[in-house]
Amino acid sequence: MNRGMFRLAVVLLSLVMIIGSLVSQTIAAEPAAQEKSMKNTKPRRALIVIDVQNEYDGGGLPIEYPQVGQSLANIGRAMDAAKAVGIPVIVVQNVAPSSSPIFAEGTHGAELHQVVRSRGWDHLVQKKLPGSFSGTDLEAWLRKNRVDTLVIVGYMTHNCDAATVIQAVHAGYAVEFLSDASGSLPYRNRAGQATAEEMHRVFMVVMQSRFAAVMSTEEWIGIVNGNGVPVRDNILESNRQARLSGK
């Protein structure tokens, strides 16, 4: 190889090394840039108001914890706050056949509570199963409106709320759950028994461990108005904290 060709080979090799270095830096920077972009992206929320119907207030399934008057007031506050900042409100209504002892179509118990009816909504979903996604157009509406975060309020914490939260997580949505704008009632059956407070409290802990950012209505209203961000935990840390506390 003559001297000219040798110099050309050195130059080409140097160029290849420089280009390779730039490509590597770009590839390495992409995940960090994407993460930063995600952190700086404002959530596109929708408030999902689940089964706030007369059956739970003076009907066949009275909510006991938190006290129904308290949770209803907070549901109203959440709806008002959502509308004030442009968050769409989706109302979900459970409807059962006319022969059903609860939520029978056309009965007072199946009607939406006045707290909801007096405020209106952007979209109404009627369902027959616990999960709000099952057999409804909920997901299609959310995708069409580019929603990425669901805020859950309503009843019951341990039934339709929990089913909807899990469905939402599996569908790729972030979830926020307002603990004082929801509620439970007691159960007793062949498997055992639990008070309304136990049902609600345990489900809040489980949701916070993996499925949702659990918070009060007051905290959520502050967040959507620019004061703070939702706090999320995970299974590993939740278990570690329990073991460290000896409980």
Side-chain angles (χ1 to χ4, degrees), residues 22-37:
L22 290 173
V23 170
S24 297
Q25 291 176 21
T26 301
I27 293 173
E30 283 180 354
Q34 290 173 356
E35 183 178 352
K36 183 177 180 181
S37 176

Side-chain angles (χ1 to χ4, degrees), residues 3-125:
R3 185 173 297 180
M5 292 183 65
F6 178 77
R7 288 177 178 175
L8 179 59
V10 169
V11 170
L12 290 174
L13 180 61
S14 298
L15 286 173
V16 169
M17 292 177 67
I18 291 171
I19 293 171
S21 176
L22 290 173
V23 170
S24 297
Q25 291 176 21
T26 301
I27 293 173
E30 283 180 354
Q34 290 173 356
E35 183 178 352
K36 183 177 180 181
S37 176
M38 289 177 66
K39 288 182 178 178
N40 293 334
T41 300
K42 184 177 180 181
R44 295 182 62 88
R45 293 181 170 94
L47 178 66
I48 314 298
V49 183
I50 300 177
D51 298 355
V52 182
Q53 296 166 247
N54 293 326
E55 205 72 77
Y56 291 123
D57 182 22
L61 292 171
I63 294 295
E64 293 190 14
Y65 188 88
Q67 197 273 331
V68 69
Q70 174 190 345
S71 59
L72 285 170
N74 285 324
I75 289 167
R77 291 179 64 210
M79 293 179 72
D80 293 342
K83 292 180 180 180
V85 297
I87 294 173
V89 175
I90 300 176
V91 169
V92 179
Q93 182 181 23
N94 189 62
V95 179
S98 58
S99 59
S100 175
I102 52 175
F103 299 109
E105 188 171 10
T107 65
H108 176 73
E111 291 179 0
L112 294 169
H113 196 280
Q114 176 62 20
V115 165
V116 173
R117 286 190 289 113
S118 64
R119 287 174 166 81
W121 48 81
D122 295 286
H123 187 60
L124 176 66
V125 172

Side-chain angles (χ1 to χ4, degrees), residues 171-193:
Y173 295 95
V175 181
E176 298 165 2
F177 194 99
L178 307 193
S179 59
D180 56 0
S182 50
S184 293
L185 41 74
Y187 280 171
R188 181 174 183 172
N189 53 40
R190 64 176 296 174
Q193 64 183 59

Side-chain angles (χ1 to χ4, degrees), residues 139 143 147-149 166-175:
E139 184 164 13
R143 300 297 185 195
V147 171
D148 59 27
T149 303
I166 293 171
Q167 286 182 324
V169 171
H170 288 179
Y173 295 95
V175 181

